[in-house]
mmCIF file of all heavy atoms in Angstrom:
data_model
loop_
_atom_site.group_PDB
_atom_site.id
_atom_site.type_symbol
_atom_site.label_atom_id
_atom_site.label_comp_id
_atom_site.label_asym_id
_atom_site.label_seq_id
_atom_site.Cartn_x
_atom_site.Cartn_y
_atom_site.Cartn_z
ATOM 1 N N THR A 469 -8.197 -179.946 -4.760
ATOM 2 C CA THR A 469 -9.426 -179.211 -5.225
ATOM 3 C C THR A 469 -10.595 -180.150 -5.292
ATOM 4 O O THR A 469 -11.682 -179.783 -4.828
ATOM 5 C CB THR A 469 -9.134 -178.577 -6.641
ATOM 6 O OG1 THR A 469 -8.023 -177.653 -6.509
ATOM 7 C CG2 THR A 469 -10.360 -177.861 -7.111
ATOM 8 N N CYS A 470 -10.393 -181.329 -5.786
ATOM 9 C CA CYS A 470 -11.532 -182.329 -5.860
ATOM 10 C C CYS A 470 -11.972 -182.645 -4.450
ATOM 11 O O CYS A 470 -13.242 -182.633 -4.189
ATOM 12 C CB CYS A 470 -11.063 -183.604 -6.532
ATOM 13 S SG CYS A 470 -10.848 -183.477 -8.343
ATOM 14 N N LYS A 471 -11.087 -182.988 -3.534
ATOM 15 C CA LYS A 471 -11.452 -183.367 -2.222
ATOM 16 C C LYS A 471 -12.169 -182.267 -1.474
ATOM 17 O O LYS A 471 -13.307 -182.469 -0.899
ATOM 18 C CB LYS A 471 -10.228 -183.812 -1.424
ATOM 19 C CG LYS A 471 -10.451 -184.191 0.064
ATOM 20 C CD LYS A 471 -9.156 -184.402 0.753
ATOM 21 C CE LYS A 471 -9.446 -184.596 2.280
ATOM 22 N NZ LYS A 471 -8.180 -184.709 3.050
ATOM 23 N N ASN A 472 -11.633 -181.085 -1.436
ATOM 24 C CA ASN A 472 -12.210 -179.993 -0.596
ATOM 25 C C ASN A 472 -13.512 -179.545 -1.187
ATOM 26 O O ASN A 472 -14.426 -179.129 -0.483
ATOM 27 C CB ASN A 472 -11.172 -178.808 -0.505
ATOM 28 C CG ASN A 472 -9.984 -179.147 0.306
ATOM 29 O OD1 ASN A 472 -10.077 -180.033 1.247
ATOM 30 N ND2 ASN A 472 -8.861 -178.561 0.030
ATOM 31 N N THR A 473 -13.575 -179.526 -2.524
ATOM 32 C CA THR A 473 -14.913 -179.090 -3.180
ATOM 33 C C THR A 473 -15.968 -180.154 -2.878
ATOM 34 O O THR A 473 -17.132 -179.765 -2.582
ATOM 35 C CB THR A 473 -14.679 -178.956 -4.662
ATOM 36 O OG1 THR A 473 -13.648 -178.003 -4.981
ATOM 37 C CG2 THR A 473 -15.961 -178.533 -5.329
ATOM 38 N N ALA A 474 -15.596 -181.483 -2.896
ATOM 39 C CA ALA A 474 -16.578 -182.494 -2.689
ATOM 40 C C ALA A 474 -17.056 -182.430 -1.188
ATOM 41 O O ALA A 474 -18.250 -182.595 -0.905
ATOM 42 C CB ALA A 474 -15.994 -183.863 -2.968
ATOM 43 N N LEU A 475 -16.119 -182.269 -0.293
ATOM 44 C CA LEU A 475 -16.508 -182.162 1.156
ATOM 45 C C LEU A 475 -17.405 -180.987 1.419
ATOM 46 O O LEU A 475 -18.368 -181.116 2.220
ATOM 47 C CB LEU A 475 -15.209 -182.001 1.977
ATOM 48 C CG LEU A 475 -14.343 -183.328 2.166
ATOM 49 C CD1 LEU A 475 -13.082 -183.001 2.891
ATOM 50 C CD2 LEU A 475 -15.151 -184.399 2.942
ATOM 51 N N GLU A 476 -17.186 -179.932 0.745
ATOM 52 C CA GLU A 476 -17.985 -178.723 0.935
ATOM 53 C C GLU A 476 -19.409 -178.943 0.369
ATOM 54 O O GLU A 476 -20.405 -178.586 0.984
ATOM 55 C CB GLU A 476 -17.382 -177.507 0.306
ATOM 56 C CG GLU A 476 -18.084 -176.211 0.556
ATOM 57 C CD GLU A 476 -17.388 -174.976 0.048
ATOM 58 O OE1 GLU A 476 -16.234 -175.123 -0.331
ATOM 59 O OE2 GLU A 476 -17.944 -173.931 0.077
ATOM 60 N N LEU A 477 -19.509 -179.587 -0.757
ATOM 61 C CA LEU A 477 -20.820 -179.833 -1.434
ATOM 62 C C LEU A 477 -21.592 -180.902 -0.729
ATOM 63 O O LEU A 477 -22.814 -180.780 -0.515
ATOM 64 C CB LEU A 477 -20.556 -180.208 -2.900
ATOM 65 C CG LEU A 477 -20.181 -179.077 -3.839
ATOM 66 C CD1 LEU A 477 -19.845 -179.644 -5.238
ATOM 67 C CD2 LEU A 477 -21.237 -178.033 -3.955
ATOM 68 N N LEU A 478 -20.894 -182.025 -0.393
ATOM 69 C CA LEU A 478 -21.652 -183.179 0.087
ATOM 70 C C LEU A 478 -21.863 -183.150 1.595
ATOM 71 O O LEU A 478 -22.848 -183.648 2.170
ATOM 72 C CB LEU A 478 -20.866 -184.453 -0.244
ATOM 73 C CG LEU A 478 -20.646 -184.694 -1.789
ATOM 74 C CD1 LEU A 478 -19.771 -185.893 -1.948
ATOM 75 C CD2 LEU A 478 -22.022 -184.856 -2.451
ATOM 76 N N LYS A 479 -20.877 -182.536 2.400
ATOM 77 C CA LYS A 479 -20.977 -182.578 3.851
ATOM 78 C C LYS A 479 -21.071 -181.186 4.464
ATOM 79 O O LYS A 479 -21.171 -181.061 5.702
ATOM 80 C CB LYS A 479 -19.815 -183.388 4.467
ATOM 81 C CG LYS A 479 -19.805 -184.797 4.050
ATOM 82 C CD LYS A 479 -18.701 -185.544 4.810
ATOM 83 C CE LYS A 479 -18.742 -187.038 4.532
ATOM 84 N NZ LYS A 479 -17.706 -187.759 5.291
ATOM 85 N N GLY A 480 -20.962 -180.139 3.568
ATOM 86 C CA GLY A 480 -20.969 -178.774 4.148
ATOM 87 C C GLY A 480 -19.716 -178.483 4.906
ATOM 88 O O GLY A 480 -19.758 -177.518 5.762
ATOM 89 N N LYS A 481 -18.673 -179.260 4.758
ATOM 90 C CA LYS A 481 -17.449 -179.057 5.531
ATOM 91 C C LYS A 481 -16.482 -178.185 4.737
ATOM 92 O O LYS A 481 -15.988 -178.545 3.692
ATOM 93 C CB LYS A 481 -16.767 -180.404 5.785
ATOM 94 C CG LYS A 481 -15.503 -180.310 6.695
ATOM 95 C CD LYS A 481 -14.938 -181.698 6.932
ATOM 96 C CE LYS A 481 -13.664 -181.610 7.764
ATOM 97 N NZ LYS A 481 -13.057 -182.947 7.991
ATOM 98 N N VAL A 482 -16.233 -176.914 5.251
ATOM 99 C CA VAL A 482 -15.359 -176.001 4.508
ATOM 100 C C VAL A 482 -13.936 -176.223 4.965
ATOM 101 O O VAL A 482 -13.660 -176.300 6.184
ATOM 102 C CB VAL A 482 -15.800 -174.554 4.809
ATOM 103 C CG1 VAL A 482 -14.916 -173.545 4.097
ATOM 104 C CG2 VAL A 482 -17.247 -174.353 4.384
ATOM 105 N N SER A 483 -13.010 -176.335 4.081
ATOM 106 C CA SER A 483 -11.650 -176.567 4.363
ATOM 107 C C SER A 483 -10.996 -175.420 5.076
ATOM 108 O O SER A 483 -11.315 -174.207 4.841
ATOM 109 C CB SER A 483 -10.846 -176.823 3.038
ATOM 110 O OG SER A 483 -9.466 -176.903 3.281
ATOM 111 N N ASP A 484 -10.127 -175.687 5.946
ATOM 112 C CA ASP A 484 -9.357 -174.632 6.635
ATOM 113 C C ASP A 484 -8.251 -174.076 5.759
ATOM 114 O O ASP A 484 -7.781 -172.988 5.995
ATOM 115 C CB ASP A 484 -8.733 -175.238 7.887
ATOM 116 C CG ASP A 484 -8.101 -174.146 8.856
ATOM 117 O OD1 ASP A 484 -8.777 -173.103 9.028
ATOM 118 O OD2 ASP A 484 -6.985 -174.335 9.348
ATOM 119 N N SER A 485 -7.901 -174.827 4.712
ATOM 120 C CA SER A 485 -6.872 -174.331 3.794
ATOM 121 C C SER A 485 -7.454 -173.218 2.904
ATOM 122 O O SER A 485 -8.683 -173.138 2.691
ATOM 123 C CB SER A 485 -6.413 -175.485 2.854
ATOM 124 O OG SER A 485 -5.826 -176.543 3.595
ATOM 125 N N MET A 486 -6.543 -172.340 2.481
ATOM 126 C CA MET A 486 -7.015 -171.233 1.634
ATOM 127 C C MET A 486 -7.035 -171.660 0.156
ATOM 128 O O MET A 486 -6.129 -172.345 -0.336
ATOM 129 C CB MET A 486 -6.084 -170.015 1.733
ATOM 130 C CG MET A 486 -6.161 -169.369 3.098
ATOM 131 S SD MET A 486 -5.084 -167.894 3.099
ATOM 132 C CE MET A 486 -4.936 -167.594 4.884
ATOM 133 N N SER A 487 -8.044 -171.214 -0.569
ATOM 134 C CA SER A 487 -8.018 -171.380 -2.032
ATOM 135 C C SER A 487 -7.117 -170.315 -2.621
ATOM 136 O O SER A 487 -6.628 -169.443 -1.979
ATOM 137 C CB SER A 487 -9.441 -171.276 -2.549
ATOM 138 O OG SER A 487 -9.898 -169.895 -2.397
ATOM 139 N N TYR A 488 -6.952 -170.418 -3.961
ATOM 140 C CA TYR A 488 -6.131 -169.441 -4.674
ATOM 141 C C TYR A 488 -6.655 -168.037 -4.458
ATOM 142 O O TYR A 488 -5.931 -167.122 -4.085
ATOM 143 C CB TYR A 488 -6.131 -169.806 -6.208
ATOM 144 C CG TYR A 488 -5.357 -168.875 -7.087
ATOM 145 C CD1 TYR A 488 -4.051 -169.268 -7.485
ATOM 146 C CD2 TYR A 488 -5.858 -167.718 -7.526
ATOM 147 C CE1 TYR A 488 -3.334 -168.415 -8.316
ATOM 148 C CE2 TYR A 488 -5.104 -166.820 -8.349
ATOM 149 C CZ TYR A 488 -3.837 -167.202 -8.732
ATOM 150 O OH TYR A 488 -3.099 -166.374 -9.586
ATOM 151 N N GLY A 489 -7.989 -167.866 -4.643
ATOM 152 C CA GLY A 489 -8.587 -166.580 -4.512
ATOM 153 C C GLY A 489 -8.479 -166.014 -3.083
ATOM 154 O O GLY A 489 -8.274 -164.825 -2.861
ATOM 155 N N GLU A 490 -8.684 -166.929 -2.117
ATOM 156 C CA GLU A 490 -8.673 -166.531 -0.697
ATOM 157 C C GLU A 490 -7.248 -166.109 -0.293
ATOM 158 O O GLU A 490 -7.056 -165.130 0.395
ATOM 159 C CB GLU A 490 -9.149 -167.642 0.168
ATOM 160 C CG GLU A 490 -10.645 -167.922 0.058
ATOM 161 C CD GLU A 490 -11.013 -169.239 0.658
ATOM 162 O OE1 GLU A 490 -10.125 -170.063 0.965
ATOM 163 O OE2 GLU A 490 -12.236 -169.484 0.722
ATOM 164 N N PHE A 491 -6.248 -166.828 -0.816
ATOM 165 C CA PHE A 491 -4.862 -166.562 -0.483
ATOM 166 C C PHE A 491 -4.467 -165.165 -0.837
ATOM 167 O O PHE A 491 -3.860 -164.391 -0.113
ATOM 168 C CB PHE A 491 -3.956 -167.590 -1.111
ATOM 169 C CG PHE A 491 -2.491 -167.391 -0.764
ATOM 170 C CD1 PHE A 491 -1.938 -167.822 0.393
ATOM 171 C CD2 PHE A 491 -1.648 -166.837 -1.735
ATOM 172 C CE1 PHE A 491 -0.639 -167.595 0.699
ATOM 173 C CE2 PHE A 491 -0.252 -166.619 -1.458
ATOM 174 C CZ PHE A 491 0.254 -167.044 -0.208
ATOM 175 N N TYR A 492 -4.792 -164.752 -2.070
ATOM 176 C CA TYR A 492 -4.432 -163.442 -2.566
ATOM 177 C C TYR A 492 -5.448 -162.313 -2.205
ATOM 178 O O TYR A 492 -5.026 -161.171 -2.127
ATOM 179 C CB TYR A 492 -4.215 -163.500 -4.102
ATOM 180 C CG TYR A 492 -2.955 -164.199 -4.482
ATOM 181 C CD1 TYR A 492 -3.006 -165.293 -5.333
ATOM 182 C CD2 TYR A 492 -1.687 -163.867 -3.963
ATOM 183 C CE1 TYR A 492 -1.838 -165.973 -5.725
ATOM 184 C CE2 TYR A 492 -0.503 -164.538 -4.326
ATOM 185 C CZ TYR A 492 -0.643 -165.623 -5.184
ATOM 186 O OH TYR A 492 0.523 -166.332 -5.620
ATOM 187 N N SER A 493 -6.656 -162.701 -1.993
ATOM 188 C CA SER A 493 -7.732 -161.726 -1.544
ATOM 189 C C SER A 493 -7.603 -160.418 -2.248
ATOM 190 O O SER A 493 -7.447 -159.328 -1.585
ATOM 191 C CB SER A 493 -7.652 -161.586 -0.047
ATOM 192 O OG SER A 493 -8.062 -162.750 0.638
ATOM 193 N N VAL A 494 -7.681 -160.396 -3.534
ATOM 194 C CA VAL A 494 -7.475 -159.157 -4.305
ATOM 195 C C VAL A 494 -8.392 -158.013 -4.003
ATOM 196 O O VAL A 494 -7.998 -156.889 -3.829
ATOM 197 C CB VAL A 494 -7.619 -159.502 -5.888
ATOM 198 C CG1 VAL A 494 -7.560 -158.234 -6.690
ATOM 199 C CG2 VAL A 494 -6.447 -160.451 -6.298
ATOM 200 N N GLU A 495 -9.684 -158.346 -3.804
ATOM 201 C CA GLU A 495 -10.639 -157.251 -3.534
ATOM 202 C C GLU A 495 -10.401 -156.584 -2.201
ATOM 203 O O GLU A 495 -10.515 -155.372 -2.025
ATOM 204 C CB GLU A 495 -12.112 -157.825 -3.521
ATOM 205 C CG GLU A 495 -12.546 -158.277 -4.908
ATOM 206 C CD GLU A 495 -13.940 -158.797 -4.900
ATOM 207 O OE1 GLU A 495 -14.461 -159.057 -3.786
ATOM 208 O OE2 GLU A 495 -14.453 -159.091 -5.977
ATOM 209 N N LEU A 496 -9.947 -157.345 -1.154
ATOM 210 C CA LEU A 496 -9.610 -156.815 0.153
ATOM 211 C C LEU A 496 -8.422 -155.766 0.023
ATOM 212 O O LEU A 496 -8.556 -154.688 0.558
ATOM 213 C CB LEU A 496 -9.262 -157.886 1.111
ATOM 214 C CG LEU A 496 -8.716 -157.442 2.462
ATOM 215 C CD1 LEU A 496 -9.749 -156.607 3.237
ATOM 216 C CD2 LEU A 496 -8.266 -158.682 3.304
ATOM 217 N N PHE A 497 -7.450 -156.162 -0.661
ATOM 218 C CA PHE A 497 -6.257 -155.314 -0.781
ATOM 219 C C PHE A 497 -6.451 -154.111 -1.661
ATOM 220 O O PHE A 497 -5.915 -153.083 -1.511
ATOM 221 C CB PHE A 497 -5.026 -156.103 -1.176
ATOM 222 C CG PHE A 497 -4.456 -156.922 -0.059
ATOM 223 C CD1 PHE A 497 -4.875 -158.271 0.073
ATOM 224 C CD2 PHE A 497 -3.635 -156.383 0.907
ATOM 225 C CE1 PHE A 497 -4.416 -159.053 1.102
ATOM 226 C CE2 PHE A 497 -3.240 -157.173 1.993
ATOM 227 C CZ PHE A 497 -3.606 -158.533 2.099
ATOM 228 N N GLU A 498 -7.397 -154.284 -2.646
ATOM 229 C CA GLU A 498 -7.749 -153.156 -3.485
ATOM 230 C C GLU A 498 -8.476 -152.118 -2.605
ATOM 231 O O GLU A 498 -8.281 -150.883 -2.764
ATOM 232 C CB GLU A 498 -8.622 -153.606 -4.695
ATOM 233 C CG GLU A 498 -7.856 -154.222 -5.773
ATOM 234 C CD GLU A 498 -6.773 -153.331 -6.373
ATOM 235 O OE1 GLU A 498 -7.113 -152.161 -6.668
ATOM 236 O OE2 GLU A 498 -5.657 -153.763 -6.526
ATOM 237 N N GLU A 499 -9.327 -152.591 -1.764
ATOM 238 C CA GLU A 499 -10.040 -151.699 -0.813
ATOM 239 C C GLU A 499 -9.075 -150.995 0.110
ATOM 240 O O GLU A 499 -9.243 -149.706 0.282
ATOM 241 C CB GLU A 499 -11.012 -152.544 0.022
ATOM 242 C CG GLU A 499 -11.792 -151.786 1.041
ATOM 243 C CD GLU A 499 -12.639 -152.702 1.941
ATOM 244 O OE1 GLU A 499 -13.230 -153.616 1.433
ATOM 245 O OE2 GLU A 499 -12.706 -152.421 3.192
ATOM 246 N N ILE A 500 -8.065 -151.682 0.649
ATOM 247 C CA ILE A 500 -7.095 -150.993 1.500
ATOM 248 C C ILE A 500 -6.340 -149.960 0.704
ATOM 249 O O ILE A 500 -6.169 -148.852 1.233
ATOM 250 C CB ILE A 500 -6.118 -152.112 2.086
ATOM 251 C CG1 ILE A 500 -6.942 -153.059 2.967
ATOM 252 C CG2 ILE A 500 -5.054 -151.402 2.908
ATOM 253 C CD1 ILE A 500 -6.074 -154.263 3.475
ATOM 254 N N LYS A 501 -5.882 -150.328 -0.499
ATOM 255 C CA LYS A 501 -5.069 -149.379 -1.235
ATOM 256 C C LYS A 501 -5.906 -148.078 -1.560
ATOM 257 O O LYS A 501 -5.377 -146.975 -1.548
ATOM 258 C CB LYS A 501 -4.624 -150.045 -2.556
ATOM 259 C CG LYS A 501 -3.464 -151.083 -2.303
ATOM 260 C CD LYS A 501 -3.294 -152.058 -3.498
ATOM 261 C CE LYS A 501 -2.946 -151.312 -4.738
ATOM 262 N NZ LYS A 501 -2.805 -152.295 -5.883
ATOM 263 N N LYS A 502 -7.134 -148.322 -1.893
ATOM 264 C CA LYS A 502 -7.958 -147.170 -2.198
ATOM 265 C C LYS A 502 -8.223 -146.337 -0.951
ATOM 266 O O LYS A 502 -8.156 -145.119 -0.996
ATOM 267 C CB LYS A 502 -9.330 -147.679 -2.774
ATOM 268 C CG LYS A 502 -10.248 -146.603 -3.169
ATOM 269 C CD LYS A 502 -11.601 -147.133 -3.817
ATOM 270 C CE LYS A 502 -12.451 -146.021 -4.236
ATOM 271 N NZ LYS A 502 -13.753 -146.601 -4.769
ATOM 272 N N ASP A 503 -8.405 -146.966 0.194
ATOM 273 C CA ASP A 503 -8.715 -146.250 1.414
ATOM 274 C C ASP A 503 -7.559 -145.376 1.827
ATOM 275 O O ASP A 503 -7.678 -144.294 2.365
ATOM 276 C CB ASP A 503 -9.065 -147.229 2.523
ATOM 277 C CG ASP A 503 -9.521 -146.529 3.773
ATOM 278 O OD1 ASP A 503 -10.544 -145.808 3.708
ATOM 279 O OD2 ASP A 503 -8.892 -146.730 4.833
ATOM 280 N N ILE A 504 -6.268 -145.834 1.675
ATOM 281 C CA ILE A 504 -5.096 -145.097 2.157
ATOM 282 C C ILE A 504 -4.458 -144.307 1.013
ATOM 283 O O ILE A 504 -3.415 -143.658 1.147
ATOM 284 C CB ILE A 504 -4.084 -146.027 2.769
ATOM 285 C CG1 ILE A 504 -3.532 -147.011 1.744
ATOM 286 C CG2 ILE A 504 -4.658 -146.765 3.994
ATOM 287 C CD1 ILE A 504 -2.403 -147.897 2.304
ATOM 288 N N ASN A 505 -5.102 -144.351 -0.181
ATOM 289 C CA ASN A 505 -4.543 -143.722 -1.375
ATOM 290 C C ASN A 505 -3.033 -144.183 -1.573
ATOM 291 O O ASN A 505 -2.137 -143.349 -1.629
ATOM 292 C CB ASN A 505 -4.623 -142.199 -1.215
ATOM 293 C CG ASN A 505 -4.248 -141.481 -2.510
ATOM 294 O OD1 ASN A 505 -4.372 -141.969 -3.610
ATOM 295 N ND2 ASN A 505 -3.671 -140.271 -2.366
ATOM 296 N N TYR A 506 -2.930 -145.442 -1.694
ATOM 297 C CA TYR A 506 -1.596 -146.071 -1.730
ATOM 298 C C TYR A 506 -0.786 -145.598 -2.968
ATOM 299 O O TYR A 506 -1.307 -145.529 -4.038
ATOM 300 C CB TYR A 506 -1.677 -147.583 -1.775
ATOM 301 C CG TYR A 506 -0.347 -148.275 -1.839
ATOM 302 C CD1 TYR A 506 0.465 -148.362 -0.779
ATOM 303 C CD2 TYR A 506 0.062 -148.832 -3.061
ATOM 304 C CE1 TYR A 506 1.691 -148.975 -0.870
ATOM 305 C CE2 TYR A 506 1.306 -149.494 -3.145
ATOM 306 C CZ TYR A 506 2.137 -149.535 -2.023
ATOM 307 O OH TYR A 506 3.354 -150.116 -2.104
#
C-alpha cells in the first residue's frame, strides 16, 4: 500500500495490481444485479 500509493502520488504511476475496492468492485456488481433483477 505504501509503495503503490507513493508511486501514484509522486510519479503518476498507477499499479497494475488491484486494490481492495477494485478487486470486489461492489458498485459494478450492484449495477449488474439491479439490471437483471437478480
Side-chain angles (χ1 to χ4, degrees):
T469 300
C470 289
K471 176 188 173 184
N472 290 333
T473 303
L475 286 173
E476 187 173 350
L477 287 174
L478 300 176
K479 295 187 176 182
K481 185 179 178 181
V482 179
S483 174
D484 190 44
S485 299
M486 294 183 193
S487 68
Y488 181 100
E490 291 165 350
F491 181 77
Y492 289 123
S493 292
V494 171
E495 292 180 350
L496 172 62
F497 286 95
E498 283 302 313
E499 178 186 320
I500 297 173
K501 286 162 63 179
K502 184 178 179 181
D503 186 60
I504 64 175
N505 189 28
Y506 179 73

